[in-house]
Structures are given as structure tokens and as C-alpha cells.
Amino acid sequence: MNGSLQQIKTTDRENENTSRTNARLDCKDSIYYLPLYKAAINGDWVAAERIFLDDHSAITAKLSSFEETALHVAVSTGRCNFFVQKLVEKMPLDSLGIANKIDETPLHYAAIAGNTEAAKMLVRKKPELVHKTGKYGYTPLHRAAQYGQKETVSYLLSVNRNENPSPLAGKLGVKLLNLLITADFYDIAIDLLKCYPMLALEEDTEGNTALMIMARKPQAFESGTHLGLFQLLLYHCSISRASNAPKGGDVEDPSGSSEGFGQENKQYAFLQKIKDIRFMHLQAMELLRLLISEALKQSEAKVEKLLGNPVQVAATLGIHEFVTEIIRAYPRSVWLPDDHKRNIFHLAVLHRQEKVFNLLYQMSSYKHFFTVSYDKFGNNMLHLAGTLQPSNRISGAALQMQRELQWYKEVEKVVQPSFKEEKNKEGKTPGVVFSEEHKQLVGEGEKWMKDTASSYTLVAALMVTVVFAAAFTIPGGNDQTQGIPIFLNDKSFMIFAIADALALFSSSTSLLMFLGILTSRYAEEDFRRALPMRLSIGLITLFFSIASTLAAFSSSLHIVLSHRVRWIVVPIGLLACIPVTLFGLLQFPLLIAIVSSTFGPTIFSKQSEEIIL
């Protein structure tokens, strides 16, 4: 009996030990291989080799829940390719293609990380890895393009074998083209498109054509790139390199592409960025023309399908270069409607894209035919101008209201006079639509104007009080017999008198302007010119009064102290400049915005003398 019990206990202990062993094996991926995972991350080959000697299966083991091998991890860091080289030499050939949880190989990881050197090691030993697709249909080349690794993209293109069917054709090729466009690799995209023109006509796995991807990239064109005044000057003065740029070549041999063209003149670093931007725009335009030319080789229905949606998206985003090229190539694109039966000029008005709207001024009298159309809600172009479109390009409710009024008045000039009183399907005229849509904005603009004017009124009133009092408390006092200022013949006194008088007149003018704003009726039309004009005049005269007051104060101190401290004029002058400079820095952006929008050149004008239609 005792022997049986002992046997049972022994069996239970063995079962328990077996269970523990199995448990350790089950957690081997996450715990047992943690030192190897760390060694792969740190590029510590000595530690990794020690682990491989103890457990040869660790070379191909999955180290994480994402089923990555040591090669996946080492390649992705890009820190120590010596580790990668040793591991590649040690691994069996078939193991180089071991995939992770989403069927992506170490070459995918090298492409994502931009580790071109590691990619070369893998491809030399196992070239077929280049065409291996993962769970989501991406090859290593797609991954490199997706993550913007241009050097790796060029290398992987150079080792793609020209098979039949080509791995660069079909939906995979379209997806690659779209990824190259998204990454701004237009030179490589041009080369690819020249080798596989049909990519311009097909959709990728998400239903996007290359033209649609380009239509969503305003920054690829000059109109969507925001440059400062000096940068803009350099941009237009820079030498065009389009004629010197390589025109593409064999997509499998990127050495013939324009990849390295932007490396010239590196010694002029301050110009290089502007030149690169300009060159990118030139390449984008070349690619756009290639895509359009391929589209025009198709049937009418296919052409309108390929061009319709992209030109509407470009009009919505304000890419007038894109719209212009399509109108030139296919004039009927002007008539192509969107789902709401709106053409590109309807969309330009609706989304306040003045650069696209200005294309009307580069057209012949034919433009009158497509400004008379209606959308499916019965809205004409003036109705659309009456809708409110919030903008992050204009600060302040009053200035936004001014811009809305400018748009409405401009569209009013190009439509038929009868459109002003036409009603849409809701029975509303454009004027009614404008008033209803902008009611809240008028209230916000009124509040903004009053708050701003109230603050400046207080300052202007204080300035009037100070300079008025200063006129009767002149420095040095008056002669007791005749009442004439003692320092009347002093140059500093004349500066004081003139500066004080100018300060009084300018601060009084400023005060009157701000009071005029506070007592305004705040009708819609007032926001277009009257209110901005008063605010700009008030700001200018207030700035002038502050500068004059400080000049009067400085000259007064000079009169009093110069007889004892002759060098006092220099520090006084420097200190007086500080508040004037601070006021300018803080208030000039607002003043410039108001003056340019009220008195500056209109945003509605002909952009070129070329007649595009």
C-alpha cells in the first residue's frame, strides 16, 4: 500500500515537472530570448554569438509577440550593420525570408528603416526577397516609399528584375507610384511612369489614381507653398534647372534619374532649400503633364472619369496650376460637375480659393457660359458666395467679415445682374443667404471691433491728457517778467514743442477714430471699408503720437540735464526707442493685415496674360 502511494507521489511530481517545463517552453519567446532581443537592438554580436552557441535554434527563433527574428530587430535599428552581416552569414539561406506576423521579411524592415546597407546584404544573398509581399500587399520597395526612404527606394528599384508580368505593373505598380508621389519623389515617379504608362490610368487597392493623389498635395505646387518675402524673391530669381535636369531613364537603374541633381552648390546652404523647393515644383508639373497626356489617350468617358474628380479636388484646395493644366489639355473639364452639380468655379467660390477663381480673368468671353449654371439645390454662383466659409488664413472676426464681403462683391461682378434677385430651391435670394449665414459673424466682428477700439481709446485718451498738460508745464519754466520760455532759443526746446504738438494732434485724431468705431452702426457693409479704415487710421496715429510723446520727453530731459551731463542724450535716445519698437512689433502685424486688406492690391486679379480658354 505504502509502495503504491509512493509511486503515485513520484508520478505526480514528474507530471508537475513536465508541466513546468512545458510552461517554460511556452514562454520561451518572450522571456528566454529577451537577452538576444537586447543584443540585436544594441548590436552586441559577442552576446548574441554566445546565445547561438548555447541554443542554435535562436538564430531563427521568434523573439516577440510580433514574431520578429533577431535579423528583423537588428536590421530595423540601423545602428550596427556589422551585427547584421555576421547574422546573415550565419543564417541558412532559406531563413533569410522568415516573415513576421504580417508576413514581412527583414528586407521589409530594412526598407522601413532606410537601412540600405543591410538591404544590399540581404538582396545579394537572397534576391527573391525583393518581390516578397506582406499581408497588406506591400513589397519592401513599397515600404521604403511609404516611409520616405529615397536612397533605399532607388536601390530596390535598381535590383528589381524585369520579369513578365512585371512586379511594377498593375495595382502594385499604381500603389508604388502613389506612394512615390506622396513622399515627393517626383523624379523617381516620372521614371516609373515613363516605363509603365498604364499606371496613370489605373487605381490602387484603395481606389486612388495618381492624378487624385497629386490633386491632394497643394505643397507640391507653388500656390500651396508659403514662403517669406525674401524666400519668395530667391525662389523667382533662382535659375530654372528644368532644361538641365535628367529626363528620366531606366527605372531599374536610378543612376540615370535626377536623384542627385539637388546636390549641386552645397556651399550655398541658404539657397539650397529654395532651389530644392523650386526643383520639386518643376518635377511635380512635369509629372502632372505626363499623367494628363496619358489620360487623354483614352475614350471620352474614361478621360472625364480620370480628370473630373482630381480637378474638382484641386479647385477645392486652391491648386490653380493643377486646374490650369487640365483646362489647357481638356477644356471641357470646366463643365464637369461634382456630386452636387457644381463646376470648378462653383467650388472655388464655395471654398474661397481666389487663385482658382482668378482663372476666370484669363478666359475669353466664353467664361459667361459656365458662370450661369446652378447646383442641385438651385444655387447660382452668388448664392455660394453668400454662404459662410470659416477660414484659418485670416485672424479676427472683423477681418474675416471684410473678406467675405469682398468675395460677395467680386462674384456679383461676374454673374448676370438678374442673379442678385434669383431664389434657390429654399426660396432665398443671394442677399438673404448672405445675411442669414453671416449674422453670427457680424456679431462677433462687432464685439471684436468694440473690444479693440475700447482698449485703444483708453490709451489715446491718456496720451491726449499727458501731452496737453505738458504744453503748460514746459521744461525750465517761463521768464517771470514776459512769460516767455527760458529755453526758447534752445534747439532741444523747439524739438520738444514740435513733438508735443504733433503728439497732441495725432493722439486726438486717434481718439476720434476709435470713438467713431465705438459709435458705428455696424451694418454688414461697414465691415468692408469704413470700420477697417477707421481702425487703421487710429492705429497709425496712435503709434505716431507715442513716438512723438517719447521724443518730447527725451528733449525735455536733455534740456534739464544736458548742462550737467552732456552725454545724457545718447542713453535717453536709446531708451526712448524701446517702447516705440515694442509697440511696433506687437501691433504692426494687425495694422499690416488691416491696411493690406483695405487699401492694398485686391486678391482678385489676372495672374497671367495668357488666355487659357
Side-chain angles (χ1 to χ4, degrees), residues 292-348:
I292 294 173
S293 65
E294 290 301 323
L296 292 177
K297 297 175 184 178
Q298 309 307 304
S299 65
E300 181 180 346
K302 181 72 172 177
V303 169
E304 294 188 354
K305 181 181 178 182
L306 286 169
L307 302 183
N309 288 337
V311 74
Q312 289 153 11
V313 171
T316 300
L317 296 178
I319 313 176
H320 72 89
E321 300 95 337
F322 192 106
V323 176
T324 301
E325 286 297 325
I326 289 187
I327 292 175
R328 281 199 197 110
Y330 191 69
R332 292 184 60 181
S333 61
V334 175
W335 295 97
L336 298 179
D338 68 356
D339 295 337
H340 298 299
K341 296 185 178 179
R342 294 168 181 157
N343 62 39
I344 56 175
F345 291 107
H346 285 137
L347 294 170

Side-chain angles (χ1 to χ4, degrees), residues 275-410:
K275 287 186 175 182
D276 289 343
I277 291 172
R278 181 167 176 77
F279 193 42
M280 181 189 73
H281 293 164
L282 293 173
Q283 289 175 331
M285 289 301 296
E286 182 182 352
L287 177 60
L288 175 62
R289 294 185 184 109
L290 278 174
L291 292 169
I292 294 173
S293 65
E294 290 301 323
L296 292 177
K297 297 175 184 178
Q298 309 307 304
S299 65
E300 181 180 346
K302 181 72 172 177
V303 169
E304 294 188 354
K305 181 181 178 182
L306 286 169
L307 302 183
N309 288 337
V311 74
Q312 289 153 11
V313 171
T316 300
L317 296 178
I319 313 176
H320 72 89
E321 300 95 337
F322 192 106
V323 176
T324 301
E325 286 297 325
I326 289 187
I327 292 175
R328 281 199 197 110
Y330 191 69
R332 292 184 60 181
S333 61
V334 175
W335 295 97
L336 298 179
D338 68 356
D339 295 337
H340 298 299
K341 296 185 178 179
R342 294 168 181 157
N343 62 39
I344 56 175
F345 291 107
H346 285 137
L347 294 170
V349 171
L350 184 64
H351 296 278
R352 305 298 189 259
Q353 299 294 351
E354 62 273 5
K355 291 182 180 179
V356 176
F357 180 80
N358 286 340
L359 294 178
L360 280 171
Y361 303 116
Q362 292 178 238
M363 296 184 177
S364 64
S365 298
Y366 187 61
K367 64 186 177 184
H368 297 297
F369 289 94
F370 44 80
T371 58
V372 298
S373 56
Y374 303 84
D375 66 11
K376 73 175 185 179
F377 305 107
N379 294 314
N380 60 42
M381 193 178 285
L382 198 55
H383 282 101
L384 298 177
T387 60
L388 175 62
Q389 293 297 322
S391 172
N392 56 5
R393 295 184 293 173
I394 303 172
S395 60
L399 293 179
Q400 187 177 345
M401 185 64 193
Q402 181 190 43
R403 182 54 54 87
E404 290 288 295
L405 282 162
Q406 290 171 345
W407 263 101
Y408 189 83
K409 294 297 181 182
E410 192 66 26

Side-chain angles (χ1 to χ4, degrees), residues 218-239:
Q219 68 275 16
F221 303 89
E222 182 182 350
S223 59
T225 304
H226 303 289
L227 300 173
L229 184 61
F230 181 66
Q231 292 176 317
L232 198 60
L233 181 64
L234 289 176
Y235 179 92
H236 288 291
C237 289
S238 62
I239 301 172

